[in-house]
Amino acid sequence: MDKQKRRAIGAHYTTEQNILKLIHPLFLDDLRAELDNLKRERDTGQNAAARAFQQKLAAIRCFDPACGCGNFLVIAYGNCARSKPKYCTTQF
């Protein structure tokens, strides 16, 4: 839908670019940093830390307080889903 048509009917939504600006500093960047740290320390027998990290990933929930068209949830879920295999397949 083009901008003029969206404006005319009040169909506003957050763009993917703006959603990513929000979710990266909100939690994705921290998760990546935590995984990188676990990878560096994997030879120290930190299996409990790795399991805790995987449980943390499984517990992530996204909420769209605006209750809009769902674009925020779709983008957030998609990024989490694409990221989880990277995290979960890392051998500790």
Side-chain angles (χ1 to χ4, degrees), residues 5-84:
K5 193 172 199 176
R6 278 198 326 265
R7 184 179 180 93
I9 63 171
H12 302 284
Y13 67 94
T14 308
T15 65
E16 181 173 356
Q17 180 181 3
N18 286 337
I19 293 167
L20 293 173
K21 285 180 189 176
L22 176 69
I23 65 174
H24 276 277
L26 187 62
F27 66 92
L28 285 180
D29 292 344
D30 289 341
L31 289 174
R32 287 192 180 118
E34 190 173 344
L35 177 66
D36 290 342
N37 189 40
L38 284 170
K39 284 179 182 178
R40 282 191 297 274
E41 295 179 1
R42 80 174 109 196
D43 296 328
T44 64
Q46 296 292 328
N47 291 335
R51 281 191 292 280
F53 180 74
Q54 289 172 337
Q55 289 173 347
K56 182 179 188 176
L57 287 176
I60 290 175
R61 302 287 184 264
C62 293
F63 173 70
D64 182 0
C67 298
C69 67
N71 200 40
F72 180 90
L73 297 174
V74 169
I75 300 302
Y77 175 80
N79 275 270
C80 287
R82 282 191 298 275
S83 298
K84 281 185 181 184

